Amino acid sequence: MKERIIMIGANGQIGSELATALRSRFGAENVITSDIREPHASREDEIFEIINVLDKSALKRLFEKYKPTQVYLLAAMLSATGEKYPQKAWDLNINGLLNVLDLALEFDIKKIFWPSSIAVFGPHSPKQNTDQYCVMDPVSIYGVSKLAGERLCEYYHHKYDLDIRSIRYPGIISWKTAPGGGTTDYAIDIFIEALKHGQYACFLSANTALPMLYMEDAVRGTIELMDAPSEQISIRSSYNLAGLSFTPAEIAEEIKKILPNFEMSYVDYDPRQAIADSWPASIDDSYARNDWSWEPKFDLASITEDMIANLKTNV
Ligand code: AKB
């Protein structure tokens, strides 16, 4: 069957790179990207539409116009910004998802992708090798909305047989598009500041270990999940997915191997520390490994090398 994909929230960190991968796979004419704002740059053969996912009538018109077989819903407010605007975060993250799920039924969409996050875990979840199924008591509105979203996805799958697939992304590290408003953003800011100014004042403490993933792995993993035969997908809430885990002190050491004069300092207080402290340090992703053969490729040394090589010519 010929696939036609609509991606909502395509201008963000993950969307912009995932859209490129999907276009080269399915053809530019079969991938329609959309966002609330125009993209910074786009090629002539790319199809783009302005859309607010909270405007269900406009979304319906978009579905009528393009008749998608797959929808990727990436529009979301992340953890740090969510704490500034909790009501807006809930509205966007939950009502946006509900709009897409309802229209997916109406338009008989074959597959949906929706991202969840490690933010669904909380202070009573195990800190190390956090299991797929464990106590989940998120403290951020972002985590609360993602956990509720996971329950909705599973509900729509069980009740309506909707083929919805999801990953609990850890912090995603990339150099092409900046992330917006997350707690794990330090792991990108650090590279930009190291190259621009030779120093970085980190908003998380030296020993705050968090799960992370390089963009190349994230894009490949997402496509692998979407490609897997439906009967292999045993998780219809959202899959744990691990790449690597490291602390700010460890990444600073790795950067110093390439930029020996780099200096790291730590700010006294930042509200993002409390969010990070409530999240796992590392993730057990055995369901993804067993169900659809997930395996990350990048480690801290290869990420650091690739980030510096690419940002050198871009910052
Ligand atoms: C954030 O920090 O909010 C995100 C996430 C881990 O979901 N990067």
Side-chain angles (χ1 to χ4, degrees):
M1 187 182 59
K2 198 167 163 206
E3 300 291 351
R4 178 158 268 219
I5 296 170
I6 288 185
M7 183 182 285
I8 302 160
N11 291 356
Q13 187 199 10
I14 297 174
S16 51
E17 299 211 29
L18 192 53
T20 306
L22 293 173
R23 282 192 176 110
S24 58
R25 173 93 182 271
F26 295 103
E29 70 284 11
N30 292 314
V31 179
I32 295 93
T33 48
S34 66
D35 207 295
I36 198 158
R37 274 176 219 99
E38 290 283 351
H40 288 307
S42 65
R43 292 201 335 231
E44 225 166 63
D45 59 347
E46 294 176 0
I47 310 171
F48 178 86
E49 299 269 357
I50 295 276
I51 196 85
N52 178 352
V53 71
L54 295 175
D55 184 345
K56 198 172 179 184
S57 318
L59 206 55
K60 187 171 175 171
R61 286 195 296 278
L62 188 75
F63 282 29
E64 272 162 357
K65 182 170 172 190
Y66 291 105
K67 304 195 171 34
T69 58
Q70 297 187 22
V71 175
Y72 286 66
L73 169 56
L74 303 178
M77 195 179 283
L78 299 188
S79 56
T81 313
E83 290 313 293
K84 291 186 193 149
Y85 312 104
Q87 209 133 18
K88 277 190 184 159
W90 175 264
D91 195 26
L92 175 61
N93 297 355
I94 287 299
N95 292 325
L97 173 60
L98 275 171
N99 284 347
V100 170
L101 291 176
D102 282 340
L103 290 173
L105 296 182
E106 195 179 326
F107 285 81
D108 194 24
I109 308 291
K110 298 294 171 240
K111 268 187 219 171
I112 313 274
F113 179 79
W114 173 82
S116 184
S117 160
I118 54 158
V120 293
F121 298 111
H124 294 88
S125 310
K127 199 82 185 149
Q128 301 293 343
N129 286 326
T130 307
D131 184 20
Q132 177 73 37
Y133 298 105
C134 60
V135 172
M136 297 168 88
D137 54 348
V139 296
S140 65
I141 191 68
Y142 173 61
V144 171
S145 67
K146 286 293 179 187
L147 186 52
E150 287 190 7
R151 304 326 308 158
L152 282 171
C153 290
E154 196 173 82
Y155 177 80
Y156 272 70
H157 174 71
H158 287 325
K159 193 167 171 82
Y160 304 111
D161 204 24
L162 196 62
D163 188 353
I164 177 146
R165 302 167 183 214
S166 175
I167 286 172
R168 288 174 181 153
Y169 287 128
I172 308 286
I173 303 175
S174 67
W175 54 270
K176 281 188 190 154
T177 309
T183 301
T184 55
D185 294 4
Y186 93 85
I188 296 174
D189 297 347
I190 191 172
F191 288 104
I192 297 169
E193 293 304 310
L195 284 163
K196 267 194 187 160
H197 303 117
Q199 54 186 2
Y200 179 59
C202 186
F203 59 76
L204 295 184
S205 64
N207 295 322
T208 308
L210 285 173
M212 301 278 182
L213 184 65
Y214 202 43
M215 180 63 88
E216 224 174 286
D217 278 337
V219 167
R220 181 178 48 80
T222 305
I223 292 177
E224 282 170 7
L225 169 64
M226 291 301 272
D227 276 350
S230 185
E231 57 280 9
Q232 272 172 234
I233 310 292
S234 68
I235 307 280
R236 292 298 183 163
S237 51
S238 189
Y239 276 96
N240 274 11
L241 200 82
L244 68 166
S245 287
F246 56 79
T247 63
E250 285 164 345
I251 192 173
E253 276 316 299
E254 206 57 48
I255 290 174
K256 275 188 200 165
K257 289 181 190 166
I258 303 177
L259 305 171
N261 295 329
F262 172 62
E263 280 175 24
M264 179 88 144
S265 60
Y266 298 91
V267 303
D268 284 341
Y269 170 78
D270 189 288
R272 288 168 284 192
Q273 183 68 50
I275 299 175
D277 287 342
S278 75
W279 287 355
S282 61
I283 296 286
D284 175 350
D285 60 0
S286 27
Y287 281 88
R289 288 174 185 264
N290 293 335
D291 287 2
W292 42 278
S293 311
W294 160 247
E295 210 182 321
K297 294 209 163 49
F298 281 80
D299 61 10
L300 187 53
S302 49
I303 290 174
T304 306
E305 238 171 73
D306 206 56
M307 285 292 285
I308 292 178
N310 284 295
L311 283 173
K312 236 185 202 166
T313 50
N314 285 282
V315 294

